[in-house]
Amino acid sequence: MIREATAADAPTIKRMIREAQLDPTSLKWKNFLIAEVDGDIAGIGQVKPLLGCRELGSLVVAKAHRKQGIAASLIHALEARHGYPLYLLCLAKLEAFYNQFGYRTIRWRDAPTALKIKLTPALLARPFGIRVLVMVKLA
């Protein structure tokens, strides 16, 4: 079941983001959807409103619930709730995962300014083999 997050979910959201080592900024529970399986929080995801765009982010599925389509359910629910275009930032190794949902990699220079600013620190990690991509789904 996919549902809107409540204030009571905030500690779990923060814990899951921390454990997944994702961006801990802009974790407003009101932006999140929660996937539940048998009463347990199995996954979370949000769309962050940024200046000039919206970013799909903070997508985490608990290890015990992976490979069950929960991430796909969250992505589809977030898209239905927020519409398009939706942008996201991800590690290059996740590009194929997001491609299957219709997201396409774009060049940094074609990204909205808010995402360029957010991505700039990640560019420093490139010499260490860490590539962060900007992706978009237009419809």
Side-chain angles (χ1 to χ4, degrees):
M1 171 181 87
I2 304 290
R3 64 171 175 80
E4 293 183 8
T6 67
D9 296 315
T12 302
I13 290 168
K14 289 177 183 176
R15 178 185 52 77
M16 291 179 78
I17 295 299
R18 187 177 56 251
E19 289 173 357
Q21 299 179 340
L22 295 179
D23 178 5
T25 62
S26 300
L27 298 181
K28 296 178 179 137
W29 63 264
K30 291 180 180 184
N31 295 337
F32 278 83
L33 292 182
I34 304 290
E36 285 188 346
V37 175
D38 298 327
D40 291 330
I41 294 180
I44 61 173
Q46 73 166 323
V47 170
K48 297 178 191 181
L50 302 174
L51 186 61
C53 68
R54 289 168 296 164
E55 177 192 8
L56 177 74
S58 307
L59 186 66
V60 180
V61 175
K63 288 182 183 179
H65 297 284
R66 291 184 183 161
K67 307 279 187 205
Q68 298 174 26
I70 292 170
S73 294
L74 281 166
I75 290 169
H76 293 309
L78 287 163
E79 290 172 345
R81 184 179 197 193
H82 295 280
Y84 305 102
L86 279 179
Y87 293 85
L88 64 86
L89 301 176
C90 70
L91 294 174
K93 68 181 182 180
L94 295 172
E95 182 177 24
F97 173 77
Y98 287 109
N99 283 161
Q100 68 184 332
F101 299 103
Y103 288 84
R104 298 292 171 244
T105 302
I106 61 173
R107 295 178 296 210
W108 179 85
R109 69 176 183 232
D110 296 331
T113 302
L115 286 178
K116 287 180 187 176
I117 292 167
K118 186 174 178 179
L119 183 60
T120 298
L123 296 176
L124 299 174
R126 282 198 171 198
F128 303 101
I130 300 170
R131 283 187 52 233
V132 177
L133 306 176
V134 180
M135 301 184 80
V136 66
K137 183 172 181 179
L138 299 174

